[in-house]
Short mmCIF file of all heavy atoms in Angstrom, two decimals:
data_model
loop_
_atom_site.label_atom_id
_atom_site.label_comp_id
_atom_site.label_asym_id
_atom_site.label_seq_id
_atom_site.Cartn_x
_atom_site.Cartn_y
_atom_site.Cartn_z
N VAL A 192 293.14 -26.22 123.69
CA VAL A 192 292.42 -26.50 124.97
C VAL A 192 292.15 -27.97 125.06
O VAL A 192 291.61 -28.54 124.11
CB VAL A 192 291.07 -25.68 125.11
CG1 VAL A 192 290.36 -26.07 126.38
CG2 VAL A 192 291.36 -24.18 125.09
N TYR A 221 291.62 -14.82 128.65
CA TYR A 221 290.54 -15.15 129.48
C TYR A 221 290.20 -16.65 129.30
O TYR A 221 290.28 -17.20 128.24
CB TYR A 221 289.23 -14.37 129.20
CG TYR A 221 289.37 -12.92 129.37
CD1 TYR A 221 290.06 -12.07 128.49
CD2 TYR A 221 288.75 -12.27 130.41
CE1 TYR A 221 290.15 -10.71 128.61
CE2 TYR A 221 288.77 -10.91 130.61
CZ TYR A 221 289.48 -10.13 129.68
OH TYR A 221 289.59 -8.73 129.86
N PHE A 223 287.14 -19.67 130.19
CA PHE A 223 285.75 -19.78 130.51
C PHE A 223 285.29 -21.22 130.67
O PHE A 223 285.91 -22.14 130.07
CB PHE A 223 284.87 -19.18 129.30
CG PHE A 223 285.24 -17.79 128.88
CD1 PHE A 223 286.20 -17.62 127.95
CD2 PHE A 223 284.52 -16.76 129.33
CE1 PHE A 223 286.46 -16.35 127.52
CE2 PHE A 223 284.80 -15.42 128.97
CZ PHE A 223 285.82 -15.22 128.02
N TYR A 225 281.81 -23.04 129.87
CA TYR A 225 280.39 -23.01 129.36
C TYR A 225 279.73 -24.33 129.71
O TYR A 225 280.31 -25.43 129.65
CB TYR A 225 280.42 -22.76 127.86
CG TYR A 225 280.62 -21.35 127.41
CD1 TYR A 225 281.85 -20.92 127.22
CD2 TYR A 225 279.52 -20.55 127.17
CE1 TYR A 225 282.05 -19.57 126.79
CE2 TYR A 225 279.67 -19.26 126.72
CZ TYR A 225 280.99 -18.72 126.55
OH TYR A 225 281.09 -17.45 126.11
N GLN A 227 276.21 -26.70 128.52
CA GLN A 227 275.13 -26.95 127.56
C GLN A 227 274.25 -28.07 128.11
O GLN A 227 274.61 -29.26 127.93
CB GLN A 227 275.67 -27.19 126.18
CG GLN A 227 274.46 -27.29 125.19
CD GLN A 227 274.93 -27.56 123.76
OE1 GLN A 227 275.99 -28.07 123.50
NE2 GLN A 227 274.15 -27.15 122.77
N ARG A 231 269.47 -27.79 125.10
CA ARG A 231 269.34 -26.36 125.43
C ARG A 231 270.57 -25.61 125.01
O ARG A 231 271.58 -26.21 124.67
CB ARG A 231 269.07 -26.20 126.87
CG ARG A 231 267.71 -26.82 127.37
CD ARG A 231 267.52 -26.63 128.85
NE ARG A 231 267.40 -25.27 129.26
CZ ARG A 231 267.35 -24.89 130.48
NH1 ARG A 231 267.27 -25.71 131.47
NH2 ARG A 231 267.21 -23.55 130.77
N GLN A 232 270.55 -24.30 125.07
CA GLN A 232 271.70 -23.52 124.60
C GLN A 232 272.73 -23.45 125.59
O GLN A 232 272.54 -23.61 126.80
CB GLN A 232 271.25 -22.27 124.05
CG GLN A 232 270.56 -21.35 124.95
CD GLN A 232 269.75 -20.41 124.09
OE1 GLN A 232 268.49 -20.62 123.84
NE2 GLN A 232 270.20 -19.24 123.66
N MET A 233 273.97 -23.20 125.06
CA MET A 233 275.15 -23.09 125.91
C MET A 233 275.11 -21.76 126.67
O MET A 233 274.83 -20.68 126.12
CB MET A 233 276.36 -23.13 124.95
CG MET A 233 277.71 -23.45 125.60
SD MET A 233 278.84 -24.21 124.45
CE MET A 233 278.67 -23.17 123.05
N LEU A 235 277.28 -19.36 129.80
CA LEU A 235 278.49 -19.19 130.52
C LEU A 235 278.32 -19.49 131.96
O LEU A 235 277.31 -19.01 132.56
CB LEU A 235 278.94 -17.74 130.34
CG LEU A 235 280.26 -17.31 130.98
CD1 LEU A 235 281.45 -18.08 130.47
CD2 LEU A 235 280.49 -15.78 130.90
N ARG A 238 284.04 -17.22 134.52
CA ARG A 238 285.02 -16.64 133.72
C ARG A 238 286.25 -16.31 134.67
O ARG A 238 285.99 -15.90 135.73
CB ARG A 238 284.49 -15.32 133.04
CG ARG A 238 285.60 -14.51 132.53
CD ARG A 238 285.05 -13.30 131.70
NE ARG A 238 283.88 -12.68 132.37
CZ ARG A 238 283.02 -11.98 131.70
NH1 ARG A 238 283.16 -11.84 130.41
NH2 ARG A 238 282.04 -11.45 132.26
N MET A 277 276.76 -30.96 129.12
CA MET A 277 278.05 -30.96 128.53
C MET A 277 278.77 -29.67 129.05
O MET A 277 278.23 -28.57 128.85
CB MET A 277 277.97 -31.02 127.03
CG MET A 277 279.29 -31.02 126.39
SD MET A 277 280.17 -32.69 126.58
CE MET A 277 279.40 -33.59 125.32
N PHE A 279 282.05 -27.20 128.58
CA PHE A 279 283.11 -26.89 127.63
C PHE A 279 284.06 -25.85 128.32
O PHE A 279 283.57 -24.77 128.79
CB PHE A 279 282.64 -26.27 126.33
CG PHE A 279 281.81 -27.19 125.54
CD1 PHE A 279 280.42 -27.18 125.51
CD2 PHE A 279 282.43 -28.09 124.66
CE1 PHE A 279 279.73 -28.08 124.74
CE2 PHE A 279 281.69 -28.96 123.86
CZ PHE A 279 280.32 -28.90 123.94
N ILE A 283 290.17 -17.43 125.25
CA ILE A 283 290.20 -16.26 124.25
C ILE A 283 291.33 -15.39 124.70
O ILE A 283 291.55 -15.23 125.89
CB ILE A 283 288.86 -15.58 124.21
CG1 ILE A 283 288.77 -14.68 122.97
CG2 ILE A 283 288.55 -14.76 125.47
CD1 ILE A 283 287.34 -14.14 122.72
N TYR A 284 292.04 -14.79 123.76
CA TYR A 284 293.13 -13.90 124.18
C TYR A 284 292.82 -12.50 123.57
O TYR A 284 292.18 -12.37 122.57
CB TYR A 284 294.52 -14.36 123.75
CG TYR A 284 294.81 -14.45 122.23
CD1 TYR A 284 295.42 -13.37 121.66
CD2 TYR A 284 294.38 -15.54 121.53
CE1 TYR A 284 295.77 -13.39 120.26
CE2 TYR A 284 294.75 -15.49 120.15
CZ TYR A 284 295.42 -14.47 119.59
OH TYR A 284 295.74 -14.51 118.26
N ASN A 285 293.44 -11.59 124.21
CA ASN A 285 293.21 -10.15 123.88
C ASN A 285 294.31 -9.75 122.91
O ASN A 285 295.46 -9.42 123.33
CB ASN A 285 293.26 -9.28 125.12
CG ASN A 285 292.56 -7.95 124.83
OD1 ASN A 285 292.52 -7.51 123.70
ND2 ASN A 285 292.18 -7.23 125.94
N SER A 289 291.22 -7.46 116.39
CA SER A 289 289.81 -7.83 116.13
C SER A 289 289.69 -9.37 116.22
O SER A 289 288.63 -9.91 115.92
CB SER A 289 289.34 -7.36 114.83
OG SER A 289 290.18 -7.86 113.82
N ASN A 290 290.66 -10.10 116.69
CA ASN A 290 290.65 -11.54 116.70
C ASN A 290 290.10 -11.96 118.03
O ASN A 290 290.83 -12.18 118.95
CB ASN A 290 292.08 -12.12 116.45
CG ASN A 290 292.08 -13.57 116.47
OD1 ASN A 290 291.02 -14.18 116.57
ND2 ASN A 290 293.27 -14.21 116.44
N TYR A 291 288.75 -12.18 118.11
CA TYR A 291 288.10 -12.50 119.37
C TYR A 291 287.40 -13.89 119.29
O TYR A 291 286.25 -14.00 119.80
CB TYR A 291 287.18 -11.41 119.76
CG TYR A 291 287.94 -10.13 120.03
CD1 TYR A 291 287.62 -8.94 119.41
CD2 TYR A 291 289.04 -10.13 120.93
CE1 TYR A 291 288.37 -7.74 119.65
CE2 TYR A 291 289.75 -8.94 121.20
CZ TYR A 291 289.38 -7.80 120.56
OH TYR A 291 290.13 -6.67 120.77
N LYS A 292 287.98 -14.81 118.67
CA LYS A 292 287.35 -16.16 118.57
C LYS A 292 287.73 -16.96 119.79
O LYS A 292 288.85 -16.99 120.24
CB LYS A 292 287.78 -16.84 117.31
CG LYS A 292 289.33 -17.02 117.18
CD LYS A 292 289.62 -17.47 115.76
CE LYS A 292 291.12 -17.56 115.56
NZ LYS A 292 291.45 -17.84 114.09
N LEU A 293 286.72 -17.71 120.26
CA LEU A 293 286.86 -18.64 121.34
C LEU A 293 287.51 -19.97 120.80
O LEU A 293 287.07 -20.38 119.70
CB LEU A 293 285.50 -18.98 121.98
CG LEU A 293 284.89 -17.92 122.87
CD1 LEU A 293 283.40 -18.12 123.03
CD2 LEU A 293 285.67 -17.76 124.10
N PHE A 295 287.78 -23.84 121.98
CA PHE A 295 287.13 -24.78 122.89
C PHE A 295 287.84 -26.06 123.05
O PHE A 295 288.57 -26.52 122.11
CB PHE A 295 285.73 -25.08 122.35
CG PHE A 295 284.77 -23.93 122.51
CD1 PHE A 295 284.59 -23.06 121.49
CD2 PHE A 295 283.95 -23.87 123.63
CE1 PHE A 295 283.66 -22.03 121.62
CE2 PHE A 295 283.04 -22.82 123.77
CZ PHE A 295 282.87 -21.92 122.79
N GLY A 296 287.63 -26.71 124.18
CA GLY A 296 288.01 -28.10 124.27
C GLY A 296 286.87 -28.97 123.79
O GLY A 296 285.82 -28.50 123.39
N LYS A 297 287.11 -30.39 123.80
CA LYS A 297 286.14 -31.27 123.22
C LYS A 297 284.84 -31.43 124.16
O LYS A 297 283.82 -31.92 123.72
CB LYS A 297 286.70 -32.58 123.05
CG LYS A 297 287.67 -32.62 121.86
CD LYS A 297 288.18 -34.14 121.63
CE LYS A 297 289.15 -34.08 120.41
NZ LYS A 297 289.59 -35.51 120.12
N VAL B 257 269.80 -15.30 121.61
CA VAL B 257 270.19 -15.61 120.28
C VAL B 257 269.23 -16.73 119.83
O VAL B 257 269.13 -17.76 120.43
CB VAL B 257 271.66 -15.99 120.21
CG1 VAL B 257 272.01 -16.46 118.79
CG2 VAL B 257 272.54 -14.86 120.68
N TYR B 286 279.05 -14.23 115.73
CA TYR B 286 280.06 -15.34 115.44
C TYR B 286 279.31 -16.58 115.02
O TYR B 286 278.24 -16.85 115.46
CB TYR B 286 280.88 -15.62 116.68
CG TYR B 286 281.46 -14.44 117.44
CD1 TYR B 286 280.60 -13.64 118.27
CD2 TYR B 286 282.72 -14.09 117.31
CE1 TYR B 286 281.11 -12.58 118.91
CE2 TYR B 286 283.34 -13.04 117.94
CZ TYR B 286 282.47 -12.23 118.73
OH TYR B 286 282.96 -11.14 119.47
N TYR B 288 280.11 -20.79 114.77
CA TYR B 288 280.99 -21.85 115.17
C TYR B 288 280.38 -23.16 114.74
O TYR B 288 279.18 -23.20 114.49
CB TYR B 288 281.14 -21.92 116.74
CG TYR B 288 281.84 -20.78 117.37
CD1 TYR B 288 281.22 -19.62 117.77
CD2 TYR B 288 283.16 -20.85 117.72
CE1 TYR B 288 281.79 -18.59 118.40
CE2 TYR B 288 283.91 -19.82 118.40
CZ TYR B 288 283.17 -18.67 118.70
OH TYR B 288 283.82 -17.63 119.34
N ARG B 290 280.49 -27.60 115.51
CA ARG B 290 281.04 -28.71 116.22
C ARG B 290 280.62 -29.98 115.42
O ARG B 290 279.49 -30.37 115.23
CB ARG B 290 280.34 -28.84 117.62
CG ARG B 290 281.02 -30.00 118.40
CD ARG B 290 280.42 -30.16 119.78
NE ARG B 290 281.13 -31.13 120.60
CZ ARG B 290 280.65 -31.93 121.45
NH1 ARG B 290 279.32 -31.90 121.62
NH2 ARG B 290 281.40 -32.83 122.10
N GLY B 293 282.00 -35.33 118.18
CA GLY B 293 283.16 -35.89 118.86
C GLY B 293 284.34 -34.97 118.81
O GLY B 293 285.40 -35.30 119.42
N LYS B 294 284.21 -33.77 118.21
CA LYS B 294 285.40 -32.91 118.10
C LYS B 294 285.02 -31.59 118.83
O LYS B 294 283.98 -31.39 119.36
CB LYS B 294 285.75 -32.71 116.70
CG LYS B 294 286.17 -33.95 115.98
CD LYS B 294 287.01 -33.70 114.69
CE LYS B 294 287.52 -34.94 114.17
NZ LYS B 294 288.33 -34.79 112.94
N GLU B 295 286.06 -30.67 118.80
CA GLU B 295 285.86 -29.41 119.45
C GLU B 295 284.95 -28.51 118.67
O GLU B 295 284.77 -28.65 117.42
CB GLU B 295 287.21 -28.71 119.51
CG GLU B 295 288.29 -29.35 120.31
CD GLU B 295 289.18 -30.26 119.47
OE1 GLU B 295 288.69 -30.65 118.33
OE2 GLU B 295 290.31 -30.64 119.93
N ILE B 296 284.38 -27.56 119.41
CA ILE B 296 283.60 -26.49 118.79
C ILE B 296 284.68 -25.58 118.04
O ILE B 296 285.64 -25.19 118.72
CB ILE B 296 282.82 -25.72 119.73
CG1 ILE B 296 281.75 -26.58 120.42
CG2 ILE B 296 282.09 -24.51 119.02
CD1 ILE B 296 281.07 -25.92 121.55
N PHE B 298 285.64 -22.19 115.55
CA PHE B 298 285.28 -20.90 115.01
C PHE B 298 285.23 -20.98 113.49
O PHE B 298 286.09 -21.60 112.86
CB PHE B 298 286.36 -19.93 115.44
CG PHE B 298 286.25 -18.61 114.75
CD1 PHE B 298 285.41 -17.61 115.30
CD2 PHE B 298 287.11 -18.35 113.72
CE1 PHE B 298 285.32 -16.37 114.63
CE2 PHE B 298 287.03 -17.06 113.11
CZ PHE B 298 286.15 -16.09 113.58
N HIS B 301 283.45 -14.19 112.11
CA HIS B 301 283.07 -13.15 112.98
C HIS B 301 282.68 -11.90 112.16
O HIS B 301 283.43 -11.47 111.29
CB HIS B 301 284.29 -12.84 113.96
CG HIS B 301 284.10 -11.56 114.76
ND1 HIS B 301 285.16 -10.87 115.20
CD2 HIS B 301 283.00 -10.94 115.21
CE1 HIS B 301 284.76 -9.89 115.93
NE2 HIS B 301 283.43 -9.87 116.00
N GLN B 308 284.77 -9.58 109.88
CA GLN B 308 286.02 -9.13 110.57
C GLN B 308 287.05 -10.24 110.55
O GLN B 308 288.20 -9.97 110.41
CB GLN B 308 285.65 -8.90 112.06
CG GLN B 308 286.68 -8.19 112.91
CD GLN B 308 286.83 -6.72 112.37
OE1 GLN B 308 285.94 -6.04 112.10
NE2 GLN B 308 288.17 -6.29 112.24
N ASP B 309 286.64 -11.46 110.54
CA ASP B 309 287.53 -12.64 110.56
C ASP B 309 286.79 -13.79 110.03
O ASP B 309 285.83 -14.30 110.63
CB ASP B 309 288.03 -12.85 112.00
CG ASP B 309 289.01 -14.07 112.09
OD1 ASP B 309 289.34 -14.65 111.08
OD2 ASP B 309 289.41 -14.33 113.24
N SER B 311 288.66 -16.56 109.03
CA SER B 311 289.76 -17.50 108.97
C SER B 311 289.38 -19.00 109.13
O SER B 311 290.01 -19.95 108.82
CB SER B 311 290.88 -17.19 109.92
OG SER B 311 290.37 -17.24 111.16
N PHE B 344 276.68 -23.38 115.58
CA PHE B 344 276.33 -22.44 116.64
C PHE B 344 276.51 -21.03 116.19
O PHE B 344 277.46 -20.72 115.48
CB PHE B 344 277.10 -22.66 117.92
CG PHE B 344 276.89 -23.98 118.54
CD1 PHE B 344 277.74 -25.06 118.47
CD2 PHE B 344 275.72 -24.16 119.50
CE1 PHE B 344 277.58 -26.22 119.08
CE2 PHE B 344 275.57 -25.34 120.09
CZ PHE B 344 276.43 -26.42 119.89
N GLY B 351 283.45 -6.33 120.80
CA GLY B 351 284.36 -7.32 120.34
C GLY B 351 285.56 -7.66 121.25
O GLY B 351 286.39 -8.43 120.86
N GLY B 352 285.58 -7.11 122.40
CA GLY B 352 286.75 -7.34 123.20
C GLY B 352 286.73 -8.82 123.80
O GLY B 352 285.60 -9.38 123.91
N ALA B 353 287.83 -9.29 124.14
CA ALA B 353 287.98 -10.64 124.66
C ALA B 353 287.31 -10.89 125.92
O ALA B 353 286.79 -11.96 126.20
CB ALA B 353 289.49 -11.00 124.86
N GLY B 354 287.03 -9.83 126.70
CA GLY B 354 286.36 -10.02 127.96
C GLY B 354 284.85 -9.99 127.85
O GLY B 354 284.17 -10.16 128.90
N GLU B 356 281.19 -11.37 127.04
CA GLU B 356 280.60 -12.62 126.93
C GLU B 356 280.03 -12.81 125.62
O GLU B 356 279.35 -11.93 125.14
CB GLU B 356 279.51 -12.83 128.03
CG GLU B 356 278.82 -14.17 128.04
CD GLU B 356 277.88 -14.33 129.19
OE1 GLU B 356 277.80 -13.49 130.07
OE2 GLU B 356 277.12 -15.26 129.07
N GLN B 357 280.26 -13.95 125.10
CA GLN B 357 279.53 -14.31 123.82
C GLN B 357 278.29 -15.16 124.23
O GLN B 357 278.44 -16.22 124.90
CB GLN B 357 280.45 -15.14 122.88
CG GLN B 357 281.64 -14.22 122.40
CD GLN B 357 282.45 -14.97 121.40
OE1 GLN B 357 282.12 -15.96 120.75
NE2 GLN B 357 283.68 -14.52 121.22
N PHE B 359 275.32 -17.61 123.28
CA PHE B 359 275.14 -18.61 122.20
C PHE B 359 273.68 -18.92 121.96
O PHE B 359 272.84 -18.88 122.87
CB PHE B 359 275.88 -19.90 122.59
CG PHE B 359 277.38 -19.84 122.34
CD1 PHE B 359 278.21 -19.24 123.19
CD2 PHE B 359 277.88 -20.42 121.22
CE1 PHE B 359 279.55 -19.14 122.98
CE2 PHE B 359 279.25 -20.37 120.96
CZ PHE B 359 280.10 -19.64 121.81
N GLY B 360 273.42 -19.23 120.70
CA GLY B 360 272.07 -19.79 120.37
C GLY B 360 272.05 -21.29 120.59
O GLY B 360 273.09 -21.90 120.94
N PRO B 361 270.93 -21.88 120.38
CA PRO B 361 270.77 -23.35 120.63
C PRO B 361 271.43 -24.22 119.63
O PRO B 361 271.59 -25.44 119.80
CB PRO B 361 269.21 -23.51 120.63
CG PRO B 361 268.67 -22.45 119.78
CD PRO B 361 269.65 -21.25 120.05
#
Side-chain angles (χ1 to χ4, degrees):
Chain A
V192 176
Y221 296 76
F223 307 87
Y225 278 88
Q227 186 178 24
R231 296 179 63 183
Q232 56 206 91
M233 196 154 47
L235 180 65
R238 164 175 43 204
M277 181 71 83
F279 294 99
I283 194 169
Y284 70 95
N285 198 341
S289 58
N290 181 6
Y291 296 125
K292 55 189 175 188
L293 287 162
F295 286 89
K297 288 187 179 181
Chain B
V257 177
Y286 312 81
Y288 293 86
R290 184 180 187 217
K294 297 200 172 180
E295 299 89 343
I296 299 170
F298 168 83
H301 170 206
Q308 192 68 41
D309 179 1
S311 61
F344 294 101
E356 180 177 350
Q357 294 184 23
F359 281 79

